[in-house]
Each structure stands twice: as structure tokens, then as C-alpha cells.
Amino acid sequence: MVSKAETHAMKMALKLAKSGRGMTFPNPMVGAVILDRDGNHVGDGFHRKCGAPHAEVIALASAGDAASGGTMIVTLEPCCHHGRTGPCTDEIIRAGISRLVISMTDPDPRMSGEGIEQLESAGIVVETGLLSEKARELNRVYLHYLETARSWVTLKIALSLDGRTAAADGSSKWISCDRSRRHVQKMRASAGAVLTGAGTVRADDPELTVRLPDILPRRQPVRIVVSATGDFGESRKIFRSQGRVIIAVPEGVVTNLTEYKDMPGVEVWEFPADSRIRGIDLTLLFERTALEGIGSVLCEAGSDLSTRLLKDELVDSVSIFTAPVILGGGGRPAFELLGINSIGNAIRLENVSSRRSGSDFLTEGRIVYRTD
Ligand code: AOF
Ligand code: ZN
């Protein structure tokens, strides 16, 4: 049984965990609260960034002696392994915690369910599963990485009411309203990287930076441009802007890229050329971004790249802005053919939320690919 005070404390721990957003990957966001024997809040903590002390250790330090005989409420099963830091289970036992309320178990393969076992053998009463759906949603990037070894990919699209991204001549400024565009800036600021295709770079010459003064990020997100040929036309803004820019290309086109390679902040990532596809294998790209510590990638691209991402089952969630504008059949579609011939094969979103965004609507949801 979990008390009201413990549920309240778990909500607080989840909120605390969020303070580490964008800083913890490939580790999870974790928050912990300590209540003393009488249920008073005597300590709390969260995981600030990868490599820094775990939430449990910080909470114990802030509670000091008051932790003895108390309850720890923590959003993730405490670790029992030596990673970059020592095992939290030892610290919890040493501090004399008598009860532990955990939201979700830890799928880290180094754990194999042993964290809880160790704590129980030390005589600590353990409750698991409180608000676990919330904890899993909070750590979806971490969970996804453990499952796939890839970054989480969000596809962002701005559409007219009739599902078009641009008029027949390609013009699209500005389909969505000012408020939605500001929201996109926030999405960029909290993403590990922003991804686009060379087609968009050639057509729009974008910077893809975060520009609003009130939401200046600690750092600009990495920008990634995928290209099959290394041809960016006359567009140079993205490469000349501040921050890190990655050009992802198949091996062999690098000779076209000498001009960019020497620009400050610009890197070229080469991937094996594959004659069956034009360009690179995007699965490899997202494995590499994950290895480089980029947990989530926001894709803002044209229909070619968006279609490929969906077809390759690499889109994990979508954020679609729908604006009160009609462009008609000549307008550009968001996707090319996806091989969906019947409604039964439609791609359906899960965990869908829909809300107003100025004069637009923002629909967000996950894409779960069928395994059958
Ligand atoms: C965190 N922060 O607050 C908790 C974590 O390399 P390490 O030592 O930081 O270990 C990372 C693992 O520790 C992580 O995969 C997860 O299993 C566990 N819990 N990690 O970064 C925390 N509680
Ligand atoms: Zn730990």
C-alpha cells in the first residue's frame, strides 16, 4: 500500500527528475524525495547530468541523519552496479532507509532485477509501480535507447487544413502561426539535434538555430543535414551559423565537400554507400548520434526525407501543426507514397494529444510499428 503523502512525493520526484532534461542521456532522468519516519519531507535530489551523482545519493546527502528510518521515493529502481558512479543500493542501506517506493524498474542490463532484491534482503520494504506510466513516458528516450541503441526521432511538420506543406510553387512561409513557430523554437532548444535534408537546405537556405531571446538555450542544438550527393546549391547559412553542424553523406562524395570541411563547427560523417538506397542508411545515422550523446533528434524536412524515415520505421513520435489554410490538390503533400493501399494499413498514432497552438492545432503522438 502506498500512502497519499508518498504519491504526492512521487509527483514531486517526477517533477524534480525533469530538471535534468536534455542533460542526462544516455542515462535516465531520475528524481528522489526522502520522507522521515513522521512523513516530513527531509531531502530530495535529481540527476543533473550524465556522469554526475545519482538522484538517490543527492537526496540522501540533503537529508543527512534524518534519512534513517525514513522512506525514499524514487522514480527509477536504484542501481546496484558500478558504472560511472557507485551503486545507490549500498548508500540507501547504509543510510538506514526502511521503506522504498519506486516508480519503474530499471531495464539497464547491468541491473537484471537485482537492485530491488538487494534492498529487500537488507530488510527494506519495497513498493514498485507507483505512477510508472508517467515515469516511462518521462524516460522514453532512455528506454528507447536501451532497446534500439538509437536516438529518439520526432518528425515535425506544419500542414494546411487539407494536409499540404507548401503551395504548388514550393512557397510555404508561413503556413503555421507565430505562436506555433515559437513553439518549434522551444522544440529545437530541447532536442539533442535538428535534422534536415539537403533538398530543404537548397530550397530554403535555413539556419535551423534557436533564435528567440527569451528561450536562449544553454547551447544550440547540433544540426544535421543528410545528403546523397553533397550538393547544397548556393545555400550556406546553416554551415556559417554558430554551433555544430554535421553533414551526413555516403562514402565517396567527400570530394564535393572540401569547402565545408574547413568551416568552424562543421563535421562530415561518412556512411557506407549502399547501392540499394539513394543516400545513407538512416538507421546507422541514429546509432551514431546516440553514440555521440544525442538522445533525441527533431526532424524538420521535406517529403522525401520524411517519407524515408517513416518507411524505414525510424520515426518514434510526430508533432504535427495544422493551420487554418487551404492549399488544394496542387499543394505539396507531407509524404510521398508510403505503400498504404487500404485503411487497415494506415499508420496510426498512439498516446495522442491534441491542443490549440494559437490559430493552429498541434497533434502529437507516438508511432509504434507492428512487429507481425
Ligand atoms: C543515473 N542517474 O540518478 C540513477 C541512475 O554510469 P552511471 O554510474 O551514472 O550509471 C548509469 C545507470 O545507473 C543508468 O543506466 C541506470 O541504470 C542507473 N540509475 N542513473 O544516471 C540516476 N538512479
Ligand atoms: Zn544509482
Side-chain angles (χ1 to χ4, degrees), residues 54 56 78-79 85-88:
H54 289 184
E56 299 92 315
C79 69
T85 67
C88 289

Side-chain angles (χ1 to χ4, degrees), residues 337-346:
L337 288 181
L338 288 167
I340 298 168
N341 299 321
S342 166
I343 191 74
N345 299 328

Side-chain angles (χ1 to χ4, degrees), residues 24 26-31 45-58 74-88 106-111 142 146:
T24 64
N27 283 356
M29 285 174 258
V30 186
F46 69 92
H47 184 56
R48 217 168 261 287
K49 62 174 195 183
C50 177
H54 289 184
E56 299 92 315
V57 171
I58 293 176
V74 57
T75 58
L76 181 75
E77 175 185 11
C79 69
C80 57
H81 52 70
H82 284 272
R84 294 173 191 88
T85 67
C88 289
D106 185 0
D108 185 313
R110 292 172 293 181
M111 298 286 298
Y142 169 72
L146 283 183

